């Protein structure tokens, strides 16, 4: 097969970790007889610097023409520390999600036996924990009407959802639950929010169509507690945009490092694959960032975008082996020897 992949390295350590994922993709394609071509695009702060637009039209067209998008991260302290900035790198991320129709973010949370002691939770809670978070990505408060009034002294953000948006993401969640352990948890705040009451109403209407799936409902504050109290309870968790943003970052800590967790954003036009961590600007250019989440995002790309499970497994086996043999960056080294970003990327590619 021939793959055309859009590369959006983005800001901070994004270019460094994406470069390691490319090494893994190239190794897999060589191993399994595929060919691959890459087209780079600008997004985030680097795009603002070059064009004034955090998601330029040229980048959008590059994504549309691709079979999949491999993305790093956006973010820059110049904008983080300036609340009056007219344009922000994160605006490009939201525009990309909206224009590409990336409505579903899939974030698997899995643990590694050799890293159980790095989790802030007790080993008996963490060992064997594995679940999938599905976050609605193009609706809710991040995209609703927002603004200021009273001379800028009152601010508002509107959390709005349509039935269509909710049905679309819930259908995906039920289907993934059917493929897994057949347990779906719908997370909302239906005791307070009208938008959440619509989420729960639609979920209750759809649940009988999936009789093989055990469906339960949980308020978001309780879900935040249960993720750290008993993470093994969850199989598939689905929720709206803002709640999902917070809960998935919370869940990422269970594994011991945000540098280990990949994600897929399923879209109407193409699909995008990225690590869940940010741009980590403090480490930019130092060759110390953990590339494994981005490499695992490439594994998800083969599995979810191309349906090539063996290719994905080849990457996962190499990543697992690097962790088992402690060939890792400083965040996972536990006081032992650590390796650079590029050294870990080279090791994984060689192992593939």
């Amino acid at each position: 097969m021939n793959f055309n992949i859009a590369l959006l390295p983005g800001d901070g350590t994004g270019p460094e970790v994406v470069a390691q994922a490319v090494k893994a993709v190239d190794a897999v394609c060589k191993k399994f007889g595929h060919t691959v071509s890459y087209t780079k695009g600008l997004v985030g702060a680097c795009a603002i610097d070059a064009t004034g637009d955090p998601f330029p039209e040229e980048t959008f067209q590059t994504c549309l023409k691709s079979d999949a998008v491999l993305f790093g991260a956006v973010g820059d302290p110049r904008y983080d520390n300036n609340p009056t900035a007219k344009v922000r790198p994160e605006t490009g991320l939201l525009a990309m999600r909206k224009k590409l129709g990336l409505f579903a973010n899939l974030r698997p949370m899995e643990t590694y036996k050799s890293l159980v002691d790095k989790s802030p939770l007790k080993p008996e809670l963490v060992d064997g924990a594995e679940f999938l978070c599905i976050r609605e990505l193009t609706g809710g408060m991040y995209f609703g009407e927002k603004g200021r009034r009273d001379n800028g002294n009152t601010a508002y953000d509107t959390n709005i959802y349509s039935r269509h948006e909710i049905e679309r993401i819930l259908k995906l969640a039920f289907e993934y639950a059917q493929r897994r352990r057949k347990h779906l948890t719908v997370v909302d705040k239906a005791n307070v929010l009208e938008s959440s009451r619509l989420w729960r109403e639609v979920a209750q209407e759809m649940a009988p169509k999936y009789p093989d799936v055990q469906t339960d409902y949980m308020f978001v504050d309780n879900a935040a507690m249960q993720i750290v109290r008993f993470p093994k309870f969850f199989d598939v968790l689905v929720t709206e945009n803002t709640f999902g943003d917070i809960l998935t970052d919370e869940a990422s800590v269970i594994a011991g490092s945000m540098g280990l967790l990949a994600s897929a954003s399923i879209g109407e036009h193409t699909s995008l694959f990225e690590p869940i961590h940010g741009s980590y600007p403090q480490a930019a250019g130092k060759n110390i960032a953990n590339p494994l989440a981005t490499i695992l995002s490439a594994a998800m790309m083969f599995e979810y975008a191309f349906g090539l499970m063996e290719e994905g497994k080849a990457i996962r086996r190499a990543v697992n082996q690097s962790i088992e043999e402690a060939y890792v960056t400083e965040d996972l080294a536990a006081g032992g020897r650590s390796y650079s970003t590029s050294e870990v990327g080279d090791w994984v590619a060689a192992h593939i």
Side-chain angles (χ1 to χ4, degrees), residues 187 218-229 234 237 246-247 250:
V187 175
M218 194 175 288
F219 295 146
V220 63
D221 42 354
N222 185 30
M225 179 176 67
Q226 298 304 331
I227 283 173
V228 295
R229 180 176 175 269
F234 297 100
L237 182 156
I246 297 166
L247 292 179
E250 181 195 18

Side-chain angles (χ1 to χ4, degrees), residues 234-251:
F234 297 100
D235 176 25
V236 178
L237 182 156
V238 64
T239 191
E240 60 100 69
N241 203 343
T242 306
F243 297 160
D245 192 3
I246 297 166
L247 292 179
T248 51
D249 274 13
E250 181 195 18

Side-chain angles (χ1 to χ4, degrees), residues 182-246:
K182 296 180 170 45
H183 177 204
L184 177 65
T185 303
V186 181
V187 175
D188 59 34
K189 192 62 177 170
N191 57 335
V192 176
L193 300 178
E194 192 62 36
S195 57
S196 281
R197 284 192 272 275
L198 180 59
W199 268 79
R200 187 166 295 207
E201 178 183 320
V202 173
Q204 289 175 340
E205 291 172 2
M206 294 178 67
K209 300 175 185 176
Y210 302 88
D212 55 330
V213 176
Q214 175 192 340
T215 306
D216 49 47
Y217 304 87
M218 194 175 288
F219 295 146
V220 63
D221 42 354
N222 185 30
M225 179 176 67
Q226 298 304 331
I227 283 173
V228 295
R229 180 176 175 269
F230 189 46
K232 295 178 189 177
F233 169 82
F234 297 100
D235 176 25
V236 178
L237 182 156
V238 64
T239 191
E240 60 100 69
N241 203 343
T242 306
F243 297 160
D245 192 3
I246 297 166

Side-chain angles (χ1 to χ4, degrees), residues 35 61 107 138 142 156 168-169 208 221 258 293 310 327:
T35 57
Q61 293 301 324
R107 292 191 177 185
T138 57
Y142 291 178
Y156 60 91
R168 179 173 61 178
I169 193 74
D221 42 354
M258 285 186 73
E310 286 305 312
Y327 205 100

